[in-house]
Every structure is written in structure tokens, then in C-alpha cells.
Amino acid sequence: MKKRGSRDNLGKGRIQPKDAKGVQGLADKLAEDLQESKLEGASIIVDRLEQLKDLALDGQVKQMRQLKDVMKNWSEILNSAPDDTDEFATGDMALCSSWYAPKVEVKLKDLFEEFRDIEKAFAKINPAKFQDLGRRMNKAMERIAPIVHGMKNLPDEVSDIADRADEREETLKDTDTKAMKKLLEGQGMTISLSSLEDCKRGLLDLVEPTQRNLEKVQTFVSEAHDKFKQAFEVPCPCCCMTSYVYDQPSRCLTELLENADRALDVDLQPFFELLRGLKDDYSDLDLNRVSKPTNRFAALATERVDRLDKIVAGARPSRISPCCFRPLSVTSPERSDPASLKLQA
């Protein structure tokens, strides 16, 4: 918001036009109304809801698709591992394959069981439900956001009008006070807030299970690299050979680690931000924190805009209907009434 009360563009000794001064006074009053109504706080809430709406609309579909591909690859690799035990030992470990491979097979089988739980958790994450939520929020916010932001910007808008009138007073006549009055009416605001309230219904039933499942998936992804390498560690008494296994990895280990790297490249933070925001900032939000400041500011600002409307009307040229003027007839003394002349004498 621009700083009020200073008119630095006035030259020394130059008198500010009366109407411009009056408009600036209204802008200053509107700035006070903004503070009194606490509309700034409502605007911050609306901005946060806009962020959450955009994240929900995105649904993190791209990230979930990338992760789904990795999950599919891991499942195929781990499922086929028992058929490829002869490939587990490579390079220097090949001579110990009959001793080493069965031990790796057991660890991969246990890892596959753990992974199946992660697969189930991942399958329960449904981005489409969040996109549907985003669409419903968007429909409500299409009305709410312009009204709240428009009201918040009204003091600056009127101050800009004063600035222009200060330079050229005739610009006042072009001011659109009708748009300001329509803004302050807040048409459709109540219905839109009601729709936004409806979006909260059952929200936690969607958010909390998704959050738990996503955390399970993230934990597995963050630990996957180490888990897969541990499965191929060489047991005692030949544990010193583990470094050779990592230097000359089998195809199974190589593919598991490549997919682990791909999974780590998937950015899940926007999804977590959406879930935390819906839970912490929206699920129990009292929407009166938006409606009350908005209504209060509208009530205060209506008087200012009415006064601005009068100033603007005064700046516009008056429309005088053409009328016919008849010249005044002057009676000459020669043709005056003799009785009136006698009275004058």
C-alpha cells in the first residue's frame, strides 16, 4: 500500500486543486477504514486459500505418475529376483555364487514383503480427489478473491485518482465510481463463502489418510538406496567382499538403485504442503474471518465512495438544455401611457 498523507509531487508554492485535495482526503479515510475493518487479515487468508486451491488443482499428478513408474519397476525387479539368482554374484564374487546368492535371495524376499505394504499405501493416494476439491474451491474463489482484493486496493485506487487530478483536474470526470459501488455491494459473496464452507466437509477424511500413506512412501523412497545395497551385502565371514559387490554390481542391484535415484528426484514437498495447508489452515477455518472484515469495510467505504461520486459529478460539465430567449421589450417614452407620465410628473 502506498504511503498516505504526503503530496510530494506538489511544487513549492503551488496550491493543490480543491477537488484533488478532497479526493486525497477520501483516500486517507479509506486507508483508515482498511485498518479498522481488519480487511488486511482477510486478504492474507484469501491469498493462502488461493495457494491451496492452485496446489489442489494441480493434484501433483505429474509427480505421482513418475513415482508410479518407479513403483512398477521395483515390483517387477523384486518379483523376478528369485528367477535371476545366478546373476547376483558377479566379478570376484562369482566363485562364491552358490553360497552368496541364496542369502541375497532371502533378504530380497523380505524386502519385497515390505515393499508390498508401500505399494498398497501408494495405491490409496488419489490425486483426482484433490483435483476435484481444487475445482470446487476455484469456483468459490472466483467471486471471493476479486472482491476482497478489490476492496483492499480501493484506498490506493482513490489515491491514484487524486494524483491524476492533482496534475490535471479535468481527469476527475473520467472516474468510474459505478464500478467501486458494485464492488462494495459484494454480489455473490455470501453464496461463494457458503460453497467454500461446503468444500471443508469430509476434508480431514481425505487429507489425513493421504498424509499417512504419503509419509510411508517418502520414508521408503528416502531409505531405498540403502535398503537395496544392504540386501546385497556379503555376510560374514566374507563381509570384506561387499565393496567388490558394489564396484561390480549385478543387473538386479543396478536397476534397483537406478530407480531409487529416479524416486529421489520426484519432488513430494508440494503435495505435503497441500496436505498440511488443508489440515492446518483450511479444515477448521472460520470463514467469518473473511466475511466480517469485508462487510465492515464495505459499510465504511460506501460513504467515502458516495462523496467521491459527488466530487466527480461536480467535475463533469453540466448539461443545460437549450432554451429560447426572448429579447426584453423597452417601451419608448413617446409611446408610454399618458397616465403613467402624469404620475411621474
Side-chain angles (χ1 to χ4, degrees):
M1 185 184 299
K2 68 200 295 187
K3 189 175 180 181
R4 312 284 174 194
S6 62
R7 309 289 300 172
D8 294 336
N9 57 343
L10 285 174
K12 287 185 178 180
R14 187 165 75 83
I15 299 175
Q16 184 182 2
K18 179 181 177 182
D19 285 346
K21 186 176 180 180
V23 174
Q24 182 57 46
L26 292 176
D28 294 339
K29 287 292 184 183
L30 284 167
E32 293 173 9
D33 297 340
L34 187 67
Q35 295 297 321
E36 182 181 333
S37 64
K38 296 182 172 60
L39 187 64
E40 190 81 43
S43 178
I44 292 172
I45 292 172
V46 168
D47 287 341
R48 180 58 173 152
L49 291 174
E50 284 278 274
Q51 292 173 352
L52 294 175
K53 176 259 297 181
D54 290 339
L55 286 170
L57 278 172
D58 181 84
Q60 312 309 303
V61 172
K62 180 181 177 182
Q63 292 90 327
M64 292 299 100
R65 189 181 298 120
Q66 292 171 335
L67 210 48
K68 184 178 181 180
D69 289 342
V70 171
M71 291 284 180
K72 180 182 177 184
N73 293 341
W74 275 340
S75 180
E76 290 175 353
I77 296 166
L78 291 171
N79 190 44
S80 63
D83 300 326
D84 302 323
T85 55
D86 57 334
E87 298 180 6
F88 289 167
T90 60
D92 296 331
M93 284 298 300
L95 295 175
C96 305
S97 179
S98 60
W99 169 80
Y100 171 69
K103 292 176 171 51
V104 174
E105 183 181 0
V106 170
K107 287 189 279 188
L108 286 178
K109 183 179 179 181
D110 292 341
L111 191 55
F112 192 24
E113 290 301 316
E114 179 185 351
F115 173 73
R116 281 176 173 169
D117 289 337
I118 303 303
E119 255 190 327
K120 291 176 183 176
F122 181 77
K124 293 176 183 177
I125 299 172
N126 192 343
K129 289 186 177 181
F130 289 93
Q131 288 182 309
D132 178 62
L133 171 66
R135 283 189 288 269
R136 288 184 287 126
M137 289 179 68
N138 185 59
K139 189 173 181 180
M141 295 304 293
E142 280 178 349
R143 177 73 64 178
I144 296 168
I147 291 175
V148 173
H149 291 149
M151 289 186 184
K152 179 194 168 188
N153 294 331
L154 194 56
D156 282 341
E157 185 180 346
V158 175
S159 187
D160 288 340
I161 293 169
D163 287 341
R164 291 192 295 271
D166 183 29
E167 296 297 327
R168 293 179 59 196
E169 196 167 12
E170 63 270 19
T171 60
L172 265 177
K173 61 183 174 60
D174 299 323
T175 302
D176 184 7
T177 54
K178 287 183 180 180
M180 295 180 188
K181 290 179 179 180
K182 185 176 181 181
L183 172 70
L184 294 174
E185 289 173 0
Q187 291 181 357
M189 184 79 166
T190 302
I191 295 174
S192 296
L193 284 170
S194 178
S195 299
L196 200 59
E197 183 69 32
D198 289 341
C199 291
K200 291 161 56 180
R201 213 170 282 156
L203 184 61
L204 291 180
D205 292 336
L206 171 63
V207 170
E208 290 181 338
T210 301
Q211 193 168 25
R212 287 193 296 269
N213 289 322
L214 192 62
E215 285 170 353
K216 285 183 183 178
V217 172
Q218 186 192 43
T219 299
F220 184 87
V221 166
S222 65
E223 297 174 352
H225 214 276
D226 291 336
K227 286 180 181 291
F228 295 142
K229 291 181 72 174
Q230 287 168 7
F232 282 84
E233 284 181 349
V234 181
C236 290
C238 301
C239 53
C240 60
M241 296 294 291
T242 297
S243 59
Y244 293 97
V245 172
Y246 294 160
D247 290 339
Q248 301 169 335
S250 65
R251 179 177 59 84
C252 178
L253 177 57
T254 298
E255 291 178 353
L256 287 170
L257 294 179
E258 286 175 350
N259 281 280
D261 290 336
R262 286 180 59 195
L264 286 172
D265 287 338
V266 178
D267 186 9
L268 295 178
Q269 288 312 305
F271 207 161
F272 278 114
E273 181 185 344
L274 170 63
L275 295 171
R276 283 192 297 267
L278 291 174
K279 183 177 180 179
D280 299 340
D281 301 333
Y282 182 38
S283 65
D284 60 351
L285 175 65
D286 182 1
L287 289 173
N288 283 325
R289 293 171 62 191
V290 175
S291 61
K292 285 185 177 179
T294 304
N295 293 337
R296 178 59 178 157
F297 179 81
L300 294 169
T302 297
E303 179 187 347
R304 321 300 183 198
V305 174
D306 286 343
R307 288 171 61 188
L308 176 62
D309 196 31
K310 291 178 181 178
I311 294 174
V312 171
R316 288 172 179 159
S318 57
R319 298 179 179 179
I320 303 175
S321 301
C323 56
C324 300
F325 296 96
R326 289 186 299 175
L328 293 174
S329 58
V330 180
T331 306
S332 61
E334 292 79 7
R335 302 179 62 182
S336 299
D337 185 359
S340 63
L341 289 175
K342 288 179 181 178
L343 289 172
Q344 290 176 9

